[in-house]
Amino acid sequence: MALTDPDRLFPPEPRLRDLARALYLSVADLPILSPHGHCDPRWFAENARFPNPAELFVVPDHYVFRMLVSQGATLPELGVSRSDGGPVEADPRAIWRRFAAGIHLFRGTPSAMWLDHSFEHVFGLTDPLTPANADVVYDRIEDCLARPEFRPRALFERFGIEALATTEGALDDLRWHKMIAESGWHGRVITTYRPDAVVDPEFEGFADNIARLGETTGENAHTWPGYLNAHRARRAFFRAHGATATDHGHPTARTENLEQADAAALFDKALRGTCTAEEAEAFRGQMLTEMARMSLEDGMTLQIHPGSWRNHSRTVLEAHGRDMGFDIPRRTDFVGNLKPLLDAVGMERELTVILFTLDETTYGRELAPLAGAYPALRLGPPWWFFDSYEGIRRYRELTTETCGFYNTAGFNDDTRAFCSIPARHDVARRSDCAYLATLVGTGRLREAEAFEVAHDLTHRLAKEAYRL
Amino acid sequence: MALTDPDRLFPPEPRLRDLARALYLSVADLPILSPHGHCDPRWFAENARFPNPAELFVVPDHYVFRMLVSQGATLPELGVSRSDGGPVEADPRAIWRRFAAGIHLFRGTPSAMWLDHSFEHVFGLTDPLTPANADVVYDRIEDCLARPEFRPRALFERFGIEALATTEGALDDLRWHKMIAESGWHGRVITTYRPDAVVDPEFEGFADNIARLGETTGENAHTWPGYLNAHRARRAFFRAHGATATDHGHPTARTENLEQADAAALFDKALRGTCTAEEAEAFRGQMLTEMARMSLEDGMTLQIHPGSWRNHSRTVLEAHGRDMGFDIPRRTDFVGNLKPLLDAVGMERELTVILFTLDETTYGRELAPLAGAYPALRLGPPWWFFDSYEGIRRYRELTTETCGFYNTAGFNDDTRAFCSIPARHDVARRSDCAYLATLVGTGRLREAEAFEVAHDLTHRLAKEAYRL
Amino acid sequence: MALTDPDRLFPPEPRLRDLARALYLSVADLPILSPHGHCDPRWFAENARFPNPAELFVVPDHYVFRMLVSQGATLPELGVSRSDGGPVEADPRAIWRRFAAGIHLFRGTPSAMWLDHSFEHVFGLTDPLTPANADVVYDRIEDCLARPEFRPRALFERFGIEALATTEGALDDLRWHKMIAESGWHGRVITTYRPDAVVDPEFEGFADNIARLGETTGENAHTWPGYLNAHRARRAFFRAHGATATDHGHPTARTENLEQADAAALFDKALRGTCTAEEAEAFRGQMLTEMARMSLEDGMTLQIHPGSWRNHSRTVLEAHGRDMGFDIPRRTDFVGNLKPLLDAVGMERELTVILFTLDETTYGRELAPLAGAYPALRLGPPWWFFDSYEGIRRYRELTTETCGFYNTAGFNDDTRAFCSIPARHDVARRSDCAYLATLVGTGRLREAEAFEVAHDLTHRLAKEAYRL
């Protein structure tokens, strides 16, 4: 028996289900474009084996350990390292058992679907993971991981990945991408320019980061024009390693379009560490507009990921550091916040700005109306908590009627869990086909159009939006 | 083959589909009440032919040209005039071809459904518009427009319109309505009192507008009591031309109920042009309450359409002027903002205030609880971006459980695209019947009740709410 | 013929419907846990007969009279008493007829379903209430009420209630709970500690309430430590009368974790009545954190019900007093507001804080991410306006994918309408089973898991979250 239902996520009504299946089968084998995510390029550079099942599925996946923690597991029990260097569980099998003991917690979540898909399609398992068979499953995966066909590059090829973008900070030397390029391997693993650390005056070590930016580029990064030129240089360096896009994770969608003299003055304050919170926010906002202007120069797509309250739990931040699953969405305003950027460059037809949100109330009220009007805007796919069947359904239902399909940008998996990539793209393809079948079945789309749109959503729109 | 599916928008499950169809057939031929919209009364006064397909379907319809612009068309290419008088595309056939080239952009949108419905039911077309048949379709429509049965009055009658309300500014001389009345034609085309230009201190030419208001009415409109009396006079003038309602398009739902002396002082500031933004907002809010009090005197229904950021793109505003499809919804608060008005007149059973929103989050959280309690309040139908199948579904699902059907106000098409009127009412009737069939099919409504409610939603509630 | 459809609320598609029915039948007869509500403990203490149909179904049920008022009934016509002692309708049959005259207003609302369920299952009626049969129905219910098997304790047992929590103010003497306990009756009716009157500086008579708190407990409640100890004493007294939980109805979800000296200074201001609105809000927020700390000491579950604008209509408040159906939800922020409490105690695995909301936009954006991370948090069921089929559907669709089922807390009826308790639990069980059947039918949950989850949602999760 299969771990996953071959008709999963299709509408239950038989006529629609048949159409959804036909649509899905027409796109199921298309190559995967993964234009935004957080895989480690070192995997593909070194092509070493993945260490063990716990480090593949539990320790790095904040979806997984967060849920376990919410029901009483502790981060150290799950092998998550401590800021004070204190002891944490070191036995991967013990971590795996703790995970299996909480497997019921994932019922009804996308994690359950991704895990089952990976277990079945990557590792050939046929029984659901339970507390009782935890060791058997562990051994099976461990056996696989030891084999060459489970090395990163082999999986990359087996997954049918046409292009995979990783995300690196502006100061990264991109050594792994260089190593991949020099290795002769043909897998397309590209980088993305993520300059938060040199754009956000509140980032740890901002002034030092700017100093390093200057050293790296040979620009006088302590002057406003030199600083901008240093960005231009780094963008060119990233493009030389395949980058076609930049990415910006700001607390809000605030943008500014200040006079250059005012921007320069703000930059000076940022360098001296004397920005107020409001000034820091304004500077970040100014830099989005500057980045958009550079995108007009060099053709890179600009992604904005706003609205996450990072590291919400002080307790967890102090004990374990950043990015421990306690990032919580906040209400986000786009209409007022994006106006300065849009007044500057929103009508540019050569520019592509992709907007993401963690606040679904903005889909119908703000994002679809904006993307359905400004030529420069595209809507990114459902992000993070909303990368799921219901999330995708709401996204399509709330945006399509206002901005159509062609102002959206295809799918992103945005993952650091490598094995979940095919699973996530499969969920997206199924969910989109379910939506399209419903449109056809209710007379809102012609059947032939649905097949064309299915192909566009799966492949063409991402290729175009990210210029891949 | 039909352009539109005769069972479109009905639930896919066969038993529900049959019931939805039966409900729909029971209301499909009821006359159309269009109590709020933006058709041009001149059409019916002069009864001249519509100039060409592009000026009927593309140039005046911001749903259509906005989508084309969002994907790279320019406004001048689509024949939209420029503020500087510079050249724009003057060949309607060229505009039509540009439109047909982008027809795929509308897939899944209500515009696609409205266009197909108009093409099929008004112009007898049987094939979808494509880039390939653009000229054929153009010629066919052009042929029709030359014939007398495609003149405005003939279409009005063919569409089965029982009453159509247009919307005019407070200073309008209503000459077209007068001309219609004097023509002996029996079509009921009424006006609506829309006093934004003499109520909003931030409106262009506010002081001049007030001066004209005084001249027109013979009241001393520069004093607070004279200004209010001038409103009373204009309302009476509008009622004499059929008006049963007023309409107010404010940035927010802010209301005030100031002491009359304070209101008078604020009015003086507005006249002198010295209001702060906050004072202008307060004055607009005060005027909503004043209008509500006048509605208690003269029986006119009061409509509030808040929450649109008008002319969001500075670039477009400067190049092409107002109302070019770049109006974007904003988050709206009703609970605090309406309290002053509701404390003043909310419990009045003789008053009808109809609330509209572009912020769907307020349906369940604010609007349904308010309308389900205050006797003076009714909820307007889904507005603008939400005048669509999904928009109507969400509206019913989010409001019915709290305020029922009888605190809603029937359907509005709110359109300036004349041919879309039957299409829009058809979508609303189908969507409501789909919802009612689902209620019956899940044991939440008895079948006999559903037929009664279908009739109420289609005809009775609008008639009652607008006192038609 | 039955008043209610035996398959109501199940998905229309036959395969899913069969599964939903099977799931429902597996939990339909489980005992009712009602861990939060507003029944009057005196009913069970005295076990007197309910006075008449109007006082059972209309006068105390703000869902019912609010809807009638929204369509033109007046509160006095419905027997609601006036603050000035003026006359109101005293004939219960006249009130009942007024209710029956407006019965169509409830179409599509949960009230209609609750009323039909009560009429059918409690009183054996087989025809819908209409204006025509109002007297017949009245007489039938009146006949029943006179019989011993319709006394409160008999109904309690017939309803299959395992435990019922009422809600009492901190100063309540709990005499009725004492009387129940001493009566030898085995029904489990427990209290809940609701200290709003001694926690909210803006509550009427706050200083007097604190004085009474001191007298009652023998603590010096005018000092900060004494005040906290007085709470401890009252919590212990409530626990002795069965309480396992506290409940807090604040305007917002604001919490604080001030230094104790600062909290003491704020308390002094509150006692002297010199708090600003902001300080009152901060004090209430501080008290939530203090209550959470006491919950860690004594094991009581803490419930937060924020975001209602109480007594929104000044007219109604002045004429009829508080709690007259004019409480309106407001936008609520949890992410920033709860941070102080969560930083203090959010990672405590022994603490249970249950969050409720009237702002559904927070389900997916804030509440599910928070509850899916912090061990101390559970999500309460859909509250008030959202205790309905669509409300429960949205709740599950918007929370399950992020926090799963096991971070939710089962169902609450939260009612003061005793006969609606079985009806409300029945709606919740059906709605949850419909959701589970949909998950199974779309391959998102295994069938065997669905049966287990159905049982958990119906019984185990409430038992655990409220420590019953």
Side-chain angles (χ1 to χ4, degrees), chain B residues 192-443:
Chain B
T192 303
Y193 185 61
R194 172 95 172 213
D196 297 2
V198 291
V199 149
D200 175 4
E202 295 176 327
F203 207 94
E204 299 92 325
F206 177 72
D208 291 347
N209 296 341
I210 300 298
R212 286 180 55 206
L213 180 68
E215 289 156 23
T216 306
T217 58
E219 298 285 346
N220 181 355
H222 291 87
T223 68
W224 173 243
Y227 169 71
L228 295 180
N229 279 333
H231 274 291
R232 286 187 183 92
R234 292 310 288 169
R235 293 168 64 106
F237 178 72
F238 272 64
R239 282 199 306 288
H241 290 78
T244 68
T246 71
D247 182 36
H248 308 274
H250 289 194
T252 74
R254 168 85 169 263
T255 65
E256 286 294 345
N257 188 16
L258 305 171
E259 295 295 326
Q260 288 295 302
D262 296 334
L266 210 49
F267 178 60
D268 284 344
K269 280 189 136 172
L271 280 182
R272 292 197 307 271
T274 61
C275 276
T276 62
E278 157 61 21
E279 288 167 336
E281 178 81 341
F283 185 75
R284 288 187 294 263
Q286 177 67 20
M287 285 311 296
L288 284 179
T289 304
E290 297 297 343
M291 288 288 129
R293 277 194 276 259
M294 290 186 201
S295 282
L296 270 170
E297 297 168 9
D298 63 19
M300 293 178 87
T301 292
L302 186 154
Q303 301 170 89
I304 307 179
H305 283 93
S308 175
W309 185 315
R310 304 276 173 181
N311 313 301
H312 186 267
S313 168
R314 198 181 59 198
T315 313
V316 172
L317 179 63
E318 290 173 0
H320 298 279
R322 301 173 60 87
D323 299 329
M324 287 298 139
F326 283 75
D327 297 347
I328 309 289
R330 303 195 72 186
R331 207 158 57 207
T332 303
D333 165 66
F334 290 92
V335 180
N337 276 332
L338 289 181
K339 193 175 182 336
L341 182 147
L342 292 171
D343 279 340
V345 297
M347 297 303 292
E348 295 290 345
R349 295 181 286 172
E350 302 308 315
L351 176 65
T352 303
V353 175
I354 304 182
L355 302 174
F356 295 80
T357 195
L358 294 173
D359 180 354
E360 291 182 308
T361 69
T362 62
Y363 282 154
R365 187 182 59 211
E366 306 182 18
L367 291 173
L370 287 167
Y374 284 97
L377 294 182
R378 292 291 178 278
L379 291 196
W383 177 34
W384 197 333
F385 299 99
F386 307 116
D387 174 10
S388 62
Y389 170 76
E390 299 288 354
I392 292 170
R393 184 177 60 76
R394 285 193 296 269
Y395 169 77
R396 292 290 175 207
E397 288 179 358
L398 284 159
T399 65
T400 307
E401 293 186 327
T402 292
C403 74
F405 293 106
Y406 294 94
N407 285 303
T408 64
F411 181 68
N412 288 180
D413 53 71
D414 196 8
T415 191
R416 57 195 80 231
F418 184 47
C419 288
S420 77
I421 290 180
R424 288 171 191 244
H425 284 262
D426 186 70
V427 167
R429 290 171 190 196
R430 287 172 179 273
S431 301
D432 279 340
C433 290
Y435 176 68
L436 291 169
T438 303
L439 290 190
V440 174
T442 50

Side-chain angles (χ1 to χ4, degrees), chain C residues 64 193 256:
Chain C
V64 169
Y193 186 62
E256 287 293 345

Side-chain angles (χ1 to χ4, degrees), chain C residues 8-228:
Chain C
R8 64 191 177 280
L9 307 185
F10 299 156
E13 199 279 323
R15 196 171 50 110
L16 265 59
R17 171 159 289 214
D18 289 346
L19 177 57
R21 188 189 308 110
L23 288 164
Y24 170 71
L25 291 176
S26 78
V27 298
D29 295 329
L30 286 177
I32 287 176
L33 289 173
S34 176
H36 175 69
H38 299 274
C39 283
D40 188 344
R42 184 172 181 176
W43 297 335
F44 309 105
E46 299 191 323
N47 201 31
R49 65 155 277 175
F50 289 105
N52 60 60
E55 286 197 49
L56 192 61
F57 282 110
V58 184
V59 186
D61 189 341
H62 53 76
Y63 287 83
V64 169
F65 66 68
R66 180 183 63 217
M67 180 67 93
L68 297 169
V69 165
S70 79
Q71 287 278 321
T74 66
L75 287 166
E77 280 171 7
L78 299 170
V80 175
S81 63
R82 299 162 58 130
S83 305
D84 64 6
V88 302
E89 181 58 64
D91 175 9
R93 191 177 291 267
I95 295 168
W96 185 262
R97 286 174 183 158
R98 189 71 188 75
F99 166 47
I103 195 71
H104 65 288
L105 303 175
F106 298 94
R107 287 172 181 167
T109 70
S111 291
M113 191 163 280
W114 300 334
L115 289 165
D116 280 352
H117 189 280
S118 301
F119 290 165
E120 180 176 11
H121 290 276
V122 184
F123 296 103
L125 294 161
T126 52
D127 290 315
L129 176 65
T130 66
N133 71 5
D135 280 343
V136 175
V137 171
Y138 185 94
D139 291 338
R140 168 72 189 234
I141 296 174
E142 176 58 31
D143 276 1
C144 290
L145 293 179
R147 286 145 59 187
E149 64 266 37
F150 288 84
R151 296 272 168 122
R153 291 183 184 179
L155 288 178
F156 185 101
E157 288 160 12
R158 183 171 146 201
F159 292 168
I161 298 175
E162 180 178 325
L164 177 82
T166 65
T167 303
E168 275 73 42
L171 301 170
D172 196 285
D173 61 10
L174 304 182
R175 74 173 70 177
W176 307 115
H177 290 83
K178 186 159 179 284
M179 193 166 152
I180 294 166
E182 289 170 353
S183 75
W185 178 57
H186 292 298
R188 186 172 177 200
V189 177
I190 64 181
T191 184
T192 303
Y193 186 62
R194 172 95 172 212
D196 296 2
V198 292
V199 149
D200 175 4
E202 296 176 325
F203 208 93
E204 299 92 326
F206 176 73
D208 292 346
N209 295 341
I210 300 298
R212 285 180 56 207
L213 181 67
E215 290 156 22
T216 306
T217 57
E219 298 285 344
N220 181 356
H222 291 87
T223 69
W224 175 241
Y227 169 71
L228 294 180

Side-chain angles (χ1 to χ4, degrees), chain A residues 9 71-72 312 314 388 393, chain C residues 335 349 374 401 406-407 442:
Chain A
L9 305 185
Q71 289 276 322
H312 187 267
R314 199 181 58 199
S388 62
R393 185 178 59 77
Chain C
V335 180
R349 295 181 286 172
Y374 284 97
E401 292 186 328
Y406 295 94
N407 286 303
T442 51

Side-chain angles (χ1 to χ4, degrees), chain A residues 243-293:
Chain A
T244 68
T246 72
D247 182 36
H248 308 274
H250 289 193
T252 74
R254 168 86 168 264
T255 64
E256 287 294 345
N257 187 16
L258 305 172
E259 296 294 326
Q260 289 295 303
D262 296 334
L266 210 49
F267 178 60
D268 284 343
K269 281 188 135 172
L271 280 182
R272 293 197 307 271
T274 61
C275 275
T276 62
E278 158 60 22
E279 288 167 337
E281 178 81 342
F283 184 75
R284 288 188 294 263
Q286 178 66 23
M287 285 310 297
L288 284 179
T289 305
E290 298 298 344
M291 288 287 130
R293 276 194 275 259

Side-chain angles (χ1 to χ4, degrees), chain A residues 79-399:
Chain A
V80 176
S81 64
R82 300 163 59 132
S83 306
D84 64 5
V88 302
E89 181 58 63
D91 176 8
R93 191 177 290 269
I95 295 168
W96 185 262
R97 285 174 185 160
R98 189 69 189 73
F99 166 48
I103 196 72
H104 65 287
L105 303 175
F106 297 94
R107 288 172 181 169
T109 69
S111 291
M113 190 163 282
W114 301 334
L115 290 165
D116 280 353
H117 190 280
S118 301
F119 290 166
E120 181 176 11
H121 291 275
V122 184
F123 296 102
L125 295 161
T126 52
D127 290 314
L129 176 64
T130 66
N133 70 7
D135 280 343
V136 176
V137 170
Y138 185 93
D139 291 338
R140 168 73 188 234
I141 297 174
E142 176 58 30
D143 275 1
C144 290
L145 292 179
R147 286 145 58 187
E149 64 265 37
F150 288 85
R151 295 271 168 123
R153 290 184 184 178
L155 288 177
F156 184 100
E157 288 160 13
R158 182 170 148 201
F159 292 169
I161 299 175
E162 179 179 325
L164 176 83
T166 64
T167 302
E168 275 72 44
L171 301 171
D172 196 285
D173 60 10
L174 305 182
R175 74 174 69 178
W176 307 116
H177 290 83
K178 186 158 178 287
M179 192 165 155
I180 294 167
E182 290 170 353
S183 74
W185 178 56
H186 293 297
R188 187 172 176 200
V189 177
I190 64 181
T191 183
T192 303
Y193 186 61
R194 171 95 171 213
D196 295 4
V198 291
V199 150
D200 175 4
E202 296 177 327
F203 208 94
E204 299 92 325
F206 176 73
D208 291 346
N209 296 340
I210 300 298
R212 286 181 54 207
L213 180 66
E215 289 157 23
T216 306
T217 58
E219 297 286 343
N220 181 356
H222 290 87
T223 69
W224 174 241
Y227 169 71
L228 295 181
N229 280 332
H231 275 291
R232 286 187 182 93
R234 292 309 287 168
R235 293 168 65 106
F237 178 70
F238 273 64
R239 281 200 306 288
H241 291 78
T244 68
T246 72
D247 182 36
H248 308 274
H250 289 193
T252 74
R254 168 86 168 264
T255 64
E256 287 294 345
N257 187 16
L258 305 172
E259 296 294 326
Q260 289 295 303
D262 296 334
L266 210 49
F267 178 60
D268 284 343
K269 281 188 135 172
L271 280 182
R272 293 197 307 271
T274 61
C275 275
T276 62
E278 158 60 22
E279 288 167 337
E281 178 81 342
F283 184 75
R284 288 188 294 263
Q286 178 66 23
M287 285 310 297
L288 284 179
T289 305
E290 298 298 344
M291 288 287 130
R293 276 194 275 259
M294 289 185 202
S295 283
L296 270 170
E297 297 168 8
D298 64 18
M300 293 178 88
T301 292
L302 186 153
Q303 302 170 89
I304 308 180
H305 284 93
S308 174
W309 185 315
R310 303 276 171 181
N311 312 302
H312 187 267
S313 168
R314 199 181 58 199
T315 313
V316 172
L317 180 63
E318 290 173 359
H320 297 280
R322 300 172 61 88
D323 299 329
M324 287 297 140
F326 282 75
D327 296 348
I328 309 289
R330 303 196 73 185
R331 206 156 59 207
T332 303
D333 167 64
F334 289 93
V335 180
N337 275 333
L338 289 181
K339 192 175 183 335
L341 182 146
L342 292 171
D343 279 341
V345 296
M347 298 303 291
E348 296 290 347
R349 294 181 286 171
E350 301 308 315
L351 176 65
T352 303
V353 175
I354 304 182
L355 301 175
F356 295 81
T357 194
L358 295 172
D359 179 354
E360 290 182 309
T361 69
T362 62
Y363 281 154
R365 187 182 58 212
E366 307 182 17
L367 291 174
L370 288 167
Y374 285 96
L377 294 182
R378 292 291 178 278
L379 292 195
W383 178 32
W384 196 332
F385 298 99
F386 308 117
D387 175 9
S388 62
Y389 170 76
E390 299 288 354
I392 292 170
R393 185 178 59 77
R394 286 193 296 269
Y395 170 77
R396 292 289 175 206
E397 288 179 359
L398 284 159
T399 64

